[in-house]
């Protein structure tokens, strides 16, 4: 039985023919309401995590000061260069107010590529403490010791220098 090409195409239904309109129904799959809400929730959570991960560490993780104990004088550092001529606020390591918390103690905290913590380093042959007081000019300061570690593996001693009248 042979069918020529014209006969074959005459038997194939056309989509716009009324008599064939209901012959084959193709339904598009629609997700349920629950699936839609789950998808929106997952996408919203992912977006929120992306936004939080883009925040600088200073906003995401606040450092706090580590309150310790201190000497009421320079604890044996009287003759160190800088103290003996009143040319430095603190000696022993680089010092800055940026290493201090609001109460004048060394910051304890961490971020993307840093970690800082207080230590008992001062004492120079005496019982070690976290800090000592020193008068620079007419202003008394607290010099509090601590370490800052970075992602490259280095750990350096730093000093919090805080005017502490």
């Amino acid at each position: 039985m042979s069918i020529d090409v014209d006969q074959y195409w005459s038997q194939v239904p056309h989509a716009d023919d009324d008599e064939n309109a209901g012959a084959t129904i193709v339904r598009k799959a629609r997700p349920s309401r629950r699936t839609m809400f789950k998808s929106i929730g997952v996408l919203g959570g992912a977006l929120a995590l992306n936004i939080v991960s883009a925040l600088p560490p200073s906003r995401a993780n606040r450092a706090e000061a580590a309150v310790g104990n201190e000497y009421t004088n320079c604890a044996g550092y009287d003759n160190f260069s800088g103290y003996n001529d009143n040319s430095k606020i603190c000696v022993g390591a680089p010092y800055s107010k940026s290493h201090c918390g609001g109460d004048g103690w060394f910051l304890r905290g961490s971020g993307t590529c840093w970690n800082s913590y207080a230590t008992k380093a001062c004492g120079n042959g005496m019982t070690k403490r976290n800090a000592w007081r020193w008068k620079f000019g007419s202003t008394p300061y607290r010099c509090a010791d601590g370490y800052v570690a970075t992602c490259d593996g280095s750990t350096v001693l730093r000093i919090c220098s805080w005017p502490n009248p």
Side-chain angles (χ1 to χ4, degrees), residues 63-66 95-108 141-144 159-163:
E64 296 176 359
Y95 58 88
S96 170
K97 190 174 180 178
S98 67
H99 300 301
C100 305
D103 59 358
W105 289 97
F106 200 85
L107 287 178
R108 173 183 54 223
Y141 282 83
R142 175 183 291 128
C143 298
I159 299 175
C160 149
S161 61
W162 186 264

Side-chain angles (χ1 to χ4, degrees), residues 34-55:
R34 179 179 285 177
T35 303
M36 286 297 292
F37 282 123
K38 283 182 185 177
S39 299
I40 291 169
V42 169
L43 290 174
L47 179 63
L49 285 175
N50 262 340
I51 290 171
V52 169
S53 67
L55 292 175

Side-chain angles (χ1 to χ4, degrees), residues 110-125:
S110 62
T112 303
C113 227
W114 65 276
N115 181 29
S116 67
Y117 52 94
T119 188
K120 291 183 178 185
C122 75
N124 192 27

Side-chain angles (χ1 to χ4, degrees), residues 82-89 134-138:
Y83 282 164
N84 59 4
D85 62 2
N86 201 28
S87 63
K88 291 186 178 180
I89 294 173
W134 183 256
K135 196 170 198 174
F136 182 75
S138 61

